C-alpha cells in the first residue's frame, strides 16, 4: 500500500496495438487512482500476427498518447513472460514501482494477483465489437479503415514505422511457411 491518498493502479495487456478502448479504460482507472503503471505484457514477442509490434514500439506509442491525454503520473514497463505462472507476479514486482490495485478481466491474471494478496478489480472495455486488438489487426490485414479505432498518435506512429506493411509481410511469410 502506498498511502490512502496516493493510490497507484496497475494495468496489464499486450496492447497490440493500444486502442481507444484501452485509452478509455486508463482514463476510468485514473478517476479512482492517482497514478497508473501500464505493464506491456509478452514483451519478448514481435513480428508475429498476434504480436506485430515490439515492446519498444508499444512503449513509444502508449507514451505519446498518455503524455497528451492524461494529467497524472504514469509508468510504462515492458515485461517478458516467464515459464512459470507461479512466479510471474513476483517477476512483475521486481520490475515496477509499488502498486495498490490491479485492473484486469483475464481470469488467470486475476487469480495470480489475488493469490499474492493484491486487490483486483474487473474492468470492461467498451464497444468490443469494434475496439479489440484482434479486430484492428484484421482490418489492417484486409486493407480496411482502422485509423478511427485508435488514438491519432497511434495511427501516425504505425504509419511512420510501416506497421500495416509489416503485418501483410508476416501474413505472407506465414502462408509461405505453411
Ligand atoms: P491480452 O493477451 O492482452 O488480451 C487477451 C484478450 O483480452 C484480448 O482480446 C484483449 O483485447 C482482451 N482484453 C484486454 N484487456 C481487457 C479488458 N480490460 N477488458 C476486456 N477485455 C480485455 O491479455 P491481457 O490479460 O490483457 O494481458 C495479459 C498479459 O500478461 C499477456 O501479455 C500475458 O502473456 C501476460 N501473462 C504472463 C504470464 C506469465 O508470463 N507466466 C502469466 C499470465 C499473464 P485487446 O486485444 O483489445 O486488448
Amino acid at each position: 500500500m502506498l498511502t490512502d491518498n496516493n493510490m497507484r493502479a496497475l494495468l496489464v495487456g499486450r496492447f497490440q496495438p493500444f486502442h481507444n478502448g484501452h485509452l478509455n479504460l486508463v482514463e476510468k482507472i485514473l478517476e479512482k487512482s492517482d497514478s497508473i503503471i501500464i505493464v506491456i505484457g509478452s514483451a519478448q514477442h514481435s513480428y508475429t500476427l498476434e504480436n506485430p509490434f515490439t515492446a519498444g514500439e508499444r512503449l513509444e506509442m502508449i507514451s505519446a498518447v498518455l503524455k497528451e491525454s492524461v494529467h497524472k503520473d504514469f509508468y510504462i514497463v515492458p515485461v517478458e513472460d516467464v515459464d512459470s505462472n507461479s512466479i510471474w507476479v513476483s517477476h512483475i514486482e521486481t520490475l515496477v514501482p509499488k502498486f495498490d490495485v490491479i485492473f484486469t478481466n483475464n481470469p488467470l491474471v486475476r487469480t495470480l494477483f489475488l493469490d499474492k494478496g493484491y486487490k483486483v478489480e474487473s474492468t470492461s472495455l467498451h464497444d468490443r465489437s469494434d475496439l479489440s486488438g484482434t479486430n484492428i489487426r484484421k482490418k489492417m490485414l484486409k486493407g480496411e479503415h482502422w485509423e478511427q479505432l485508435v488514438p491519432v498518435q497511434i495511427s501516425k506512429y504505425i504509419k511512420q514505422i510501416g506497421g500495416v506493411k509489416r503485418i501483410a509481410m508476416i501474413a505472407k511469410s506465414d502462408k509461405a511457411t505453411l
Side-chain angles (χ1 to χ4, degrees):
M1 200 28 136
L2 296 168
T3 70
D4 284 349
N5 299 325
N6 194 3
M7 179 70 82
R8 187 178 290 143
L10 183 113
L11 174 67
V12 187
R14 285 182 300 115
F15 307 113
Q16 292 283 10
F18 188 88
H19 53 64
N20 289 334
H22 296 131
L23 177 57
N24 179 268
L25 183 59
V26 168
E27 287 170 342
K28 272 202 227 152
I29 291 172
L30 283 174
E31 285 172 11
K32 298 194 238 171
S33 312
D34 299 287
S35 58
I36 187 167
I37 303 165
I38 298 190
V39 165
I40 298 179
S42 305
Q44 78 279 21
H45 290 301
S46 62
Y47 286 81
T48 69
L49 282 179
E50 277 283 290
N51 291 291
F53 304 112
T54 67
E57 287 165 347
R58 287 177 271 165
L59 191 154
E60 275 199 270
M61 285 192 259
I62 300 170
S63 168
V65 175
L66 297 193
K67 259 190 226 160
E68 292 190 20
S69 315
V70 308
H71 304 289
K72 289 189 175 175
D73 287 344
F74 63 86
Y75 306 83
I76 306 172
V77 185
V79 174
E80 294 191 0
D81 295 335
V82 292
D83 284 341
S84 165
N85 283 334
S86 64
I87 62 165
W88 183 61
V89 173
S90 317
H91 174 60
I92 289 183
E93 284 171 332
T94 65
L95 297 171
V96 307
K98 290 208 180 305
F99 53 95
D100 305 288
V101 56
I102 149 127
F103 287 81
T104 184
N105 256 16
N106 179 321
L108 172 64
V109 172
R110 178 182 179 79
T111 303
L112 295 176
F113 277 94
L114 279 176
D115 287 354
K116 291 282 177 190
Y118 280 101
K119 183 177 172 200
V120 179
E121 289 202 15
S122 300
T123 63
S124 54
L125 286 174
H126 78 295
D127 193 7
R128 284 301 276 169
S129 53
D130 261 350
L131 289 176
S132 90
T134 307
N135 181 45
I136 293 167
R137 296 193 301 275
K138 270 190 194 153
K139 281 184 180 294
M140 288 173 169
L141 197 50
K142 289 187 192 160
E144 294 175 2
H145 291 296
W146 54 273
E147 293 87 341
Q148 72 285 4
L149 304 175
V150 300
V152 66
Q153 299 88 342
I154 302 276
S155 56
K156 266 193 198 158
Y157 187 93
I158 290 176
K159 285 178 183 173
Q160 255 173 29
I161 63 167
V164 176
K165 275 191 199 146
R166 180 187 301 178
I167 291 176
M169 176 281 294
I170 299 165
K172 268 192 203 152
S173 77
D174 274 10
K175 269 189 207 150
T177 312
L178 287 172

